[in-house]
């Protein structure tokens, strides 16, 4: 039976029992993210009206200060997850340190922590290009009822319980996994509900799109340079098409649907690349693997990297399985 047209709320309830440690807690968490995403979406959609209603730093008609959207998104997600008493800790790309929730309250029996990039690609907002939110969920490793510690956040990506993103694009979508495939939901703005529009999303095994900021080409390692030349060679199925939005969520979303590879390699300027392991790479890697894709730093599986700090950066190669494997082959060869 087609599950299309099911609302996200219905889908969450129906699938609650299939979660590994089902107690309704994870369902409530996804529900909160859904709610915060709708609020942020409303604000993102107004961004083009900035000349009329005021830019960040101005005061709006109600006398409230206008905020930058990434600050606003950060506050909304943290507020929603904190006020509803759903998680025991949050780490955000926008915050220096992690936040411990109700750490003094022994009754806080919540076992999940969330890591979030509230508004990824925010430099695209001023020019009306898609941005996104990325989230990642783990079970805490320290005892329930005690304050969370850094150890709860520095877990390998393979320990993720759920991950997903919201893309604020031509339509707004929420795409997530709880380790049982990837499903995408599109917001009907007239009704304010997300509907299952993309059940069981899968990366095609091969693709013909490569997404990389080629402006950094001369700074890339030799293996990546060689792979980019391979993408551009005239062969039966090549040259590939180059598509780079500069919004990880949007580039990933397109590649998952059409087949492609996203690269943010290390460079002589940024020896560990630019993207953050915990807020960007791990959640995308979990989604990719759940959708039959692949993700690594060129050598090591992204989700096997042992994190050592909250805002750690890693090189990132992610997308259709055969394309990522080809790129890894070029990396290995260049090392020899
Ligand atoms: P941000 O978290 O500061 O928004 O940076 C992350 C973004 C990704 O969405 C995007 O893929 C990448 O940075 C683009 O970087 P660049 O402009 O160097 O190509
Ligand atoms: Mg980001």
């Amino acid at each position: 039976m087609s599950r299309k047209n099911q609302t996200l709320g219905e889908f969450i309830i129906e699938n609650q029992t299939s979660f590994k440690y089902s107690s309704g807690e994870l369902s409530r968490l996804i529900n909160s993210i859904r709610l915060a995403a709708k609020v942020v979406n409303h604000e993102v959609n107004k961004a083009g009206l900035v000349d009329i209603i005021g830019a960040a730093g101005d005061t709006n008609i109600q006398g409230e200060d206008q905020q930058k959207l990434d600050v606003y998104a950060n506050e909304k997600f943290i507020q929603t997850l904190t006020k509803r008493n759903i998680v025991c800790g949050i780490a955000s790309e926008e915050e220096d340190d992690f936040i411990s929730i109700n750490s003094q309250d022994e009754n806080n029996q919540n076992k999940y922590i969330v890591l979030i990039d509230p508004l990824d690609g925010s430099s695209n907002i001023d020019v009306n290009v898609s941005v996104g939110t990325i989230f990642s969920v783990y079970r805490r490793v320290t005892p329930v009822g005690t304050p969370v510690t850094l150890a709860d956040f520095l877990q390998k990506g393979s320990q993720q319980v759920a991950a997903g993103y919201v893309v604020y694009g031509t339509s707004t979508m929420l795409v997530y996994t709880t380790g049982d495939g990837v499903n995408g939901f599109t917001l009907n703005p007239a009704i304010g509900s997300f509907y299952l529009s993309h059940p069981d999303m899968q990366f095609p095994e091969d693709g013909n799109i490569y997404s990389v900021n080629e402006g950094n080409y001369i700074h890339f390692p030799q293996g990546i340079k060689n792979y980019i030349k391979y993408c551009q060679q005239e062969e039966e199925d090549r040259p590939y098409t180059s598509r780079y939005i500069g919004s990880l969520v949007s580039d990933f979303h397109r590649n998952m649907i059409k087949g492609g590879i996203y690269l943010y390699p290390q460079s002589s300027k940024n020896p560990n690349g630019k993207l953050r392991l915990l807020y960007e790479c791990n959640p995308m890697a979990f989604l990719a693997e759940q959708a039959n894709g692949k993700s690594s730093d060129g050598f090591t599986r992204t989700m096997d990297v042992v994190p050592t700090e909250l805002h750690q950066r890693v090189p990132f190669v992610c997308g259709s399985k055969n394309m990522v494997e080809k790129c890894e082959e070029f990396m290995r060869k260049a090392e020899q």
Side-chain angles (χ1 to χ4, degrees):
M1 193 184 79
S2 166
R3 294 176 302 163
K4 276 206 174 186
N5 294 327
Q6 199 174 29
T7 66
L8 175 53
E10 289 162 1
F11 183 91
I12 291 171
I13 293 167
E14 196 180 297
N15 287 277
Q16 183 171 313
T17 47
S18 66
F19 295 150
K20 245 192 231 160
Y21 314 96
S22 176
S23 65
E25 207 176 315
L26 188 57
S27 300
R28 288 204 300 281
L29 204 165
I30 307 277
N31 255 321
S32 302
I33 289 174
R34 170 185 71 154
L35 181 69
K38 281 201 270 188
V39 176
V40 171
N41 175 62
H42 182 68
E43 209 61 23
V44 168
N45 280 337
K46 286 196 305 196
L49 293 170
V50 94
D51 288 342
I52 303 164
I53 59 178
D58 288 357
T59 306
N60 71 12
I61 204 157
Q62 284 95 23
E64 299 158 332
D65 285 339
Q66 295 284 318
Q67 285 176 312
K68 287 185 72 173
L69 269 175
D70 38 10
V71 179
Y72 178 86
N74 186 45
E75 275 180 20
K76 278 299 153 217
F77 278 101
I78 292 178
Q79 239 175 43
T80 311
L81 292 166
T82 310
K83 289 218 172 120
R84 300 178 139 211
N85 194 15
I86 281 166
V87 291
C88 51
I90 304 173
S92 161
E93 202 190 280
E94 294 282 330
E95 306 277 336
D96 291 338
D97 212 346
F98 63 83
I99 302 166
S100 185
I101 296 165
N102 294 340
S103 53
Q104 303 314 321
D105 180 2
E106 284 170 18
N107 295 324
N108 183 350
Q109 293 298 304
N110 297 333
K111 54 183 179 289
Y112 293 113
I113 59 131
V114 171
L115 293 116
I116 192 151
D117 183 354
L119 209 63
D120 184 66
S122 50
S123 62
N124 275 328
I125 285 184
D126 293 346
V127 288
N128 210 351
V129 172
S130 306
V131 288
T133 296
I134 309 172
F135 64 92
S136 171
V137 182
Y138 294 80
R139 281 167 73 88
R140 63 182 301 174
V141 290
T142 53
V144 169
T146 63
V148 285
T149 72
L150 189 57
D152 293 309
F153 296 90
L154 297 186
Q155 298 189 51
K156 283 202 291 189
S158 53
Q159 298 300 110
Q160 284 172 102
V161 175
Y165 60 79
V166 184
V167 55
Y168 310 99
T170 41
S171 57
T172 293
M173 279 190 73
L174 193 154
V175 175
Y176 80 101
T177 180
T178 52
D180 187 21
V182 177
N183 291 286
F185 300 81
T186 303
L187 181 67
N188 179 339
I191 300 168
S193 293
F194 283 98
Y195 288 90
L196 180 60
S197 51
H198 296 63
D200 195 20
M201 296 178 84
Q202 300 270 327
F203 268 94
E205 289 218 332
D206 260 310
N208 66 356
I209 296 172
Y210 73 104
S211 317
V212 62
N213 185 343
E214 278 183 79
N216 296 326
Y217 182 87
I218 56 162
H219 302 288
F220 287 154
Q222 194 56 45
I224 295 289
K225 284 182 180 165
N226 294 347
Y227 178 67
I228 291 175
K229 284 294 157 222
Y230 166 88
C231 294
Q232 296 169 343
Q233 261 161 23
E234 194 71 44
E235 287 295 336
E236 206 181 314
D237 60 339
R238 282 173 280 142
Y240 295 154
T241 296
S242 166
R243 289 281 182 274
Y244 189 69
I245 298 169
S247 248
L248 170 62
V249 169
S250 316
D251 280 311
F252 178 98
H253 186 71
R254 180 206 51 241
N255 290 351
M256 177 158 63
I257 291 171
K258 295 194 164 177
I261 184 169
Y262 175 95
L263 307 114
Y264 211 110
Q266 62 275 55
S267 66
S268 42
K269 283 195 302 188
N270 300 309
N272 298 316
K274 173 187 183 187
L275 301 183
R276 318 280 182 154
L277 174 62
L278 298 178
Y279 311 106
E280 291 161 332
C281 305
N282 270 337
M284 290 316 208
F286 189 24
L287 287 158
E289 288 194 13
Q290 284 294 317
N292 198 34
K294 209 174 164 180
S295 172
S296 76
D297 64 1
F299 300 97
T300 306
R301 179 184 178 225
T302 304
M303 290 201 286
D304 282 342
V305 175
V306 181
T308 52
E309 41 182 302
L310 217 44
H311 294 283
Q312 184 171 345
R313 298 174 197 269
V314 283
F316 190 54
V317 177
C318 180
S320 290
K321 202 186 252 168
N322 293 345
M323 298 179 88
V324 172
E325 282 173 3
K326 194 62 166 177
C327 178
E328 289 170 341
E329 197 183 305
F330 276 97
M331 291 299 278
R332 277 194 307 272
K333 267 195 211 149
E335 288 276 292
Q336 283 163 7

